[in-house]
Amino acid sequence: YEPARIKMIQSEFINHANHLMKNNITTKSFIIDFSRGAEDVFLAMKGLTKEQRNQFIIISAGFAKAIPRDFAFNVINIRTKEDPIPKWCDRLACFGLEKIDDEFVKTDKYEIDVIPNEKKGFADHYFQNSSYQDRIKYYFSKFYPLYGVSK
């Protein structure tokens, strides 16, 4: 974790959110992250107010840190069943994420979509993985017509 990078990301998020609010822009901005990028987004979003966070929709794939639901207007964490990174890096054992076979996990704190994997093991952890790309497109196409287009 690099504090200077987190501060830079946080500053961009704050400036962008403030611009949207100041100009009464009702569309949401989308943040799509992968792997360690989820940790950067998590740390940067911690410094935003609830009102500022509400300007964003986060789609996090192959996350190294699951992002809580209340960190944005909408947050969805995506992982394949066999991707080792979410298992190793995050501390979600409190609700046994590693042991569930369900396709969707929803708790008070997290929303996690567990999807079938393209390959097993480390080979499953890459951004261009069709399993991740298809699910990112699914959520983007679900949210964009509602929140990404000016009315």
Side-chain angles (χ1 to χ4, degrees):
Y1 137 77
E2 299 171 32
R5 184 175 67 233
I6 301 306
K7 284 230 178 265
M8 187 244 346
I9 295 168
Q10 186 178 72
S11 175
E12 290 296 322
F13 288 171
I14 290 169
N15 290 338
H16 186 70
N18 289 341
H19 169 76
L20 294 174
M21 292 183 300
K22 177 182 173 189
N23 293 293
N24 295 318
I25 299 170
T26 58
T27 58
K28 304 298 178 193
S29 293
F30 290 75
I31 299 170
I32 299 173
D33 65 55
F34 181 76
S35 193
R36 186 169 171 261
E39 184 178 7
D40 291 347
V41 169
F42 171 83
L43 293 169
M45 293 298 272
K46 281 176 70 171
L48 276 67
T49 67
K50 177 87 172 142
E51 188 179 25
Q52 290 168 330
R53 288 179 184 179
N54 199 43
Q55 306 307 309
F56 298 97
I57 292 174
I58 300 171
I59 302 171
S60 182
F63 52 88
K65 171 70 182 142
I67 300 175
R69 296 165 56 130
D70 66 352
F71 266 45
F73 178 78
N74 201 312
V75 177
I76 186 72
N77 296 281
I78 307 166
R79 67 172 283 255
T80 63
K81 289 182 180 182
E82 296 295 326
D83 188 342
I85 300 303
K87 290 181 183 181
W88 294 341
C89 295
D90 209 11
R91 305 296 182 252
L92 294 177
C94 59
F95 62 86
L97 180 62
E98 292 84 0
K99 297 177 183 154
I100 6 185
D101 291 327
D102 296 333
E103 291 183 6
F104 203 84
V105 176
K106 196 169 189 177
T107 70
D108 289 343
K109 190 168 183 177
Y110 298 99
E111 198 163 321
I112 300 173
D113 190 356
V114 183
I115 59 176
N117 50 294
E118 184 178 279
K119 298 177 181 166
K120 291 189 186 289
F122 232 167
D124 201 39
H125 186 77
Y126 63 103
F127 186 66
Q128 293 301 324
N129 172 334
S130 63
S131 299
Y132 281 133
Q133 288 299 309
D134 290 347
R135 199 55 63 118
I136 289 167
K137 287 175 192 169
Y138 166 77
Y139 283 110
F140 188 80
S141 65
K142 176 181 174 181
F143 295 132
Y144 188 78
L146 299 171
Y147 307 111
V149 181
S150 295
K151 306 278 188 261

